[in-house]
Amino acid sequence: MSRAATAARAPGFDVLAIRREFPILDESVRGKPLIYLDSAASAQKPRAVIEAMVHAMEHQYANVHRGLHWMSERTTEAFESARDAVARFLNAPSRDEIVFTKNATEAINLVAHAYGRGVMDPAKAVLISAMEHHANIVPWQLLRDARGVELRVCPITAEGELDWEAFERLLADGRVGLVAITHMSNVLGTVTPAERIARAAHDAGALVLFDGSQAAVHRRVDVQAIGADFYVFTGHKLYGPTGIGVLWARAELLERMPPFLGGGDMIASVSFERAEWARIPHKFEAGTPPILEGIGLAAAIAWVERVGIDAIEAHERALTDHALARLAAIEGVRVFGRAQDRGGVVAFALDRAHAHDVATLLDRQGIAVRAGHHCAEPLMRVLGVDSTARASFAAYTTRAEIDALAEALERVRRFFA
Amino acid sequence: MTDASADFADLRDLYQEVILDHGRHPRNFRRLAPPARHARGDNPMCGDRVEVWVRLDEQDRIADAAFEGRGCAISVASASLMTETVRGKSAAEARALADAFRSLVRTGRCPVCGAVHAEDLERLRPLSGVAEYPSRVKCATLAWHALEAALAGEASATTE
Ligand SMILES: Cc1ncc(COP(=O)(O)O)c(C=O)c1O
């Protein structure tokens, strides 16, 4: 209790009450209360999500879109209403624009195939940034290798922000067909200027995809206000279950894109000669979809909306400021990224100790952080390191936990001194 | 190290003094000239990288072993301790030691330790704490994989 005790920072935001909704936060690790600072890798789940999924399995479950029976009809309704929840969450104009995938990675692969190979002119280039997750690099490399599409990479500044001059230069020849860029870096915490990016991309004749895997968890996202063409995120980082991700795309694009995977559920009719595709979004959802995960994701979104995404953002901003100040006071600690606009992710290194040793020694003290390349190896090269440690924050993170991190890190520093 | 034992008791059981010492001041951290055999080891999961050299004498015993590389304290300490323990061993003995060591760091125990190379394994035992961290076992075994590759005349080894 004492480690978690802290005053709520954002008005009306009671972090202790929030923590009570997360059963796992009662767990101990090595005899110490769990201090979970790895939410950017995957967030813990509130009881509302757990119960929604259990309730479905216990009371209301069957396959969807197939049975004519009561259970199937009810389950179909519950699953389809998850699309409404996502559409509302992203302020998407229509539930038909919400495609469920396995995760963000699959959503980006879907776009790389169905739009990249199926619609985009192969003479056009794809523009990504130097701070992408592998999920937003490798699908475009596969597209490049398959279709000869040029892949351009926009550098970042020393602060860890998108290098805007370079960005405009890379768009200037009008040959970029798609800008695919993170809305928030999972390493640097940098939030990219999405509206400005979308405007510049459109002015240059390109479409824009945002990898919102991190941003959607920490910010209010409005795909219409941004002017996005594609937006993806992943359920398990948003307090929801694993196994479900989201692709939002403008209906007109989804209509023009050929299917990604073939099978049941994505067709209107099939003969041995040919198949007719189902209407969107079902055209992109082959096979039995993640039914329980959809129900869980809807519950997660409802939970986030109840707490308030703006309140979560304010809470995390206070935590991040506090973490940056505490880490800066520790000798030999280097923090990566100094973006003006940043979310609750802090990557750091200790000058005398390897990131893996730091993570293990923090784990010995009951603190879970991530260490490694964070699926962003090219970014590690830009930063001139092999790996970093990373602490990341969520709605349930407390100021006291950050103090515990700082104290534990100070011990690690002395241990390696 | 000023702040010795008590304050760090919870950290020491995994990072014993010998690991910190070899991690900070690796022994045999150098290259050997040809015809010494050489192989590199990569752990793609964490970016650890090690290069190992071994020179065999006329009786095919390891006359010298050395390494270079970068990585965490566990991987550097393990490579350093390895270069010390394999000296004077035949290739077959070094391989047997590698097997016993792998079992030690994977399980934390070593049923064969009493039988073969008891003393050598006793020196390596401080690394056995990684058994608790399956993802870090590879840090400890990386140099040994590279050593075996070098002895077999292969250019490289990975932990994958
Ligand atoms: C920025 C970013 N993009 C994409 C992903 C991939 O998410 P998933 O593994 O759920 O597909 C992650 C998380 O690992 C991420 O942080």
Side-chain angles (χ1 to χ4, degrees):
Chain A
M1 193 61 209
S2 66
R3 295 181 97 170
T6 182
R9 298 241 118 199
F13 188 91
D14 181 352
V15 69
L16 294 185
I18 285 173
R19 290 178 70 81
R20 284 193 291 275
E21 297 190 54
F22 287 78
I24 206 170
L25 297 179
D26 292 335
E27 293 293 312
S28 298
V29 172
R30 302 181 196 292
K32 295 175 179 130
L34 169 65
I35 294 185
Y36 186 73
L37 300 179
D38 196 20
S39 294
S42 204
Q44 301 297 351
K45 320 304 174 200
R47 195 168 276 117
V49 169
I50 299 165
E51 283 175 358
M53 295 177 77
V54 170
H55 184 271
M57 281 185 279
E58 287 184 346
H59 300 289
Q60 193 197 73
Y61 179 76
N63 209 330
V64 293
H65 310 141
R66 303 182 178 186
L68 295 173
H69 52 82
W70 191 90
M71 274 294 176
S72 178
E73 300 278 17
R74 296 295 86 73
T75 310
T76 302
E77 268 170 32
F79 178 67
E80 287 300 315
S81 74
R83 268 186 239 282
D84 293 325
V86 174
R88 197 175 62 233
F89 184 64
L90 296 177
N91 193 32
S94 160
R95 65 144 68 165
D96 295 340
E97 298 182 338
I98 306 300
V99 178
F100 286 127
T101 62
K102 185 171 64 176
N103 48 33
T105 303
E106 188 181 277
I108 296 173
N109 277 278
L110 192 165
V111 176
H113 274 260
Y115 184 79
R117 297 181 191 202
V119 178
M120 200 175 93
D121 175 357
K124 294 272 189 176
V126 173
L127 174 57
I128 63 173
S129 86
M131 56 180 156
E132 299 307 319
H133 187 281
H134 294 167
N136 198 29
I137 301 174
V138 181
W140 308 116
Q141 291 175 334
L142 294 174
L143 174 65
R144 176 194 63 194
D145 297 346
R147 287 291 148 91
V149 164
E150 185 195 350
L151 183 56
R152 298 182 181 178
V153 183
C154 181
I156 55 172
T157 65
E159 279 67 40
E161 295 176 330
L162 191 68
D163 182 336
W164 191 260
E165 277 178 29
F167 185 68
E168 291 194 314
R169 209 163 44 243
L170 285 160
L171 283 173
D173 64 2
R175 285 202 38 240
V176 173
L178 179 70
V179 174
I181 197 160
T182 189
H183 192 187
M184 175 179 151
S185 164
N186 64 314
V187 177
L188 304 169
T190 308
V191 176
T192 56
E195 294 179 31
R196 203 172 162 209
I197 289 169
R199 226 177 303 122
H202 291 158
D203 287 349
L207 297 182
V208 60
L209 172 146
F210 288 100
D211 174 1
S213 302
Q214 296 294 337
V217 182
H218 304 288
R219 292 287 165 108
R220 179 177 297 280
V221 172
D222 180 333
V223 292
Q224 298 188 71
I226 290 171
D229 299 295
F230 303 96
Y231 198 98
V232 310
F233 72 92
T234 196
H236 66 96
K237 296 184 202 279
L238 187 68
Y239 311 100
T242 53
I244 188 159
V246 168
L247 164 66
W248 168 83
R250 289 194 290 108
E252 172 256 329
L253 292 167
L254 291 176
E255 297 286 5
R256 277 161 59 205
M257 286 155 59
F260 173 42
L261 301 173
D265 259 9
M266 51 75 69
I267 39 75
S269 71
V270 183
S271 66
F272 281 116
E273 287 70 43
R274 59 188 306 260
E276 298 221 8
W277 315 137
R279 59 185 182 77
I280 63 165
H282 305 288
K283 180 168 87 174
F284 297 103
E285 293 179 0
T288 298
I291 300 167
L292 293 163
E293 292 78 0
I295 290 166
L297 179 61
I301 289 173
W303 184 85
V304 167
E305 286 172 339
R306 178 162 64 70
V307 176
I309 186 84
D310 297 330
I312 293 175
E313 181 187 347
H315 172 67
E316 290 173 349
R317 173 165 312 157
L319 291 174
T320 306
D321 289 346
H322 184 56
L324 291 172
R326 288 293 314 247
L327 293 188
I330 302 172
E331 198 188 312
V333 167
R334 177 176 163 211
V335 170
F336 298 94
R338 297 185 299 274
Q340 286 290 324
D341 192 4
R342 65 176 298 158
V345 162
V346 178
F348 59 92
L350 205 54
D351 61 1
R352 310 273 307 257
H354 191 281
H356 291 108
D357 296 318
V358 172
T360 299
L361 287 164
L362 290 175
D363 177 74
R364 298 308 274 185
Q365 303 175 72
I367 300 175
V369 300
R370 178 150 179 203
H373 52 55
H374 315 293
C375 297
E377 278 188 61
L379 174 59
M380 293 296 113
R381 233 156 283 138
V382 169
L383 299 175
V385 293
D386 287 326
S387 59
T388 79
R390 179 188 73 185
S392 52
F393 315 133
Y396 45 71
T397 307
T398 67
R399 206 175 147 87
E401 288 180 312
I402 287 165
D403 290 334
L405 168 70
E407 280 149 31
L409 204 52
E410 173 61 30
R411 287 185 80 216
V412 173
R413 185 195 68 75
R414 283 191 289 125
F415 187 63
F416 276 106
Chain B
M1 181 68 38
T2 46
D3 227 322
S5 47
D7 191 21
F8 291 126
D10 54 335
L11 309 182
R12 277 259 176 250
D13 53 352
L14 183 58
Y15 288 79
Q16 298 186 17
E17 187 55 44
V18 59
I19 295 178
L20 289 177
D21 176 35
H22 280 257
R24 227 181 274 129
H25 309 292
R27 321 295 199 268
N28 302 309
F29 195 84
R30 55 192 159 85
R31 300 165 176 240
L32 301 183
R37 299 183 190 188
H38 163 251
R40 58 182 277 159
D42 277 297
N43 183 348
M45 282 309 290
C46 66
D48 283 0
R49 208 159 298 162
V50 69
E51 290 192 71
V52 169
W53 287 266
V54 271
R55 186 161 56 74
L56 301 178
D57 63 17
E58 299 81 59
Q59 286 82 48
D60 264 0
R61 289 195 167 269
I62 296 172
D64 198 1
F67 83 105
E68 279 186 359
R70 58 171 196 241
C72 62
I74 306 271
S75 74
V76 172
S78 180
S80 171
L81 284 162
M82 177 190 81
T83 58
E84 290 191 332
T85 40
V86 297
R87 199 168 298 182
K89 304 246 171 336
S90 69
E93 286 168 336
R95 266 186 223 110
L97 191 56
D99 279 339
F101 175 71
R102 266 194 294 270
S103 130
L104 177 69
V105 292
R106 278 183 193 149
T107 65
R109 286 172 296 110
C110 181
V112 298
C113 287
V116 293
H117 313 303
E119 262 175 53
D120 296 321
L121 281 160
E122 216 36 62
R123 287 210 63 208
L124 300 173
R125 188 178 290 282
L127 289 160
S128 66
V130 299
E132 210 186 316
Y133 293 89
S135 64
R136 304 222 39 203
V137 167
K138 289 169 179 173
C139 307
T141 57
L142 180 62
W144 289 88
H145 285 291
L147 173 76
E148 289 185 296
L151 289 171
E154 291 157 11
S156 68
T158 92
T159 55
E160 292 311 295

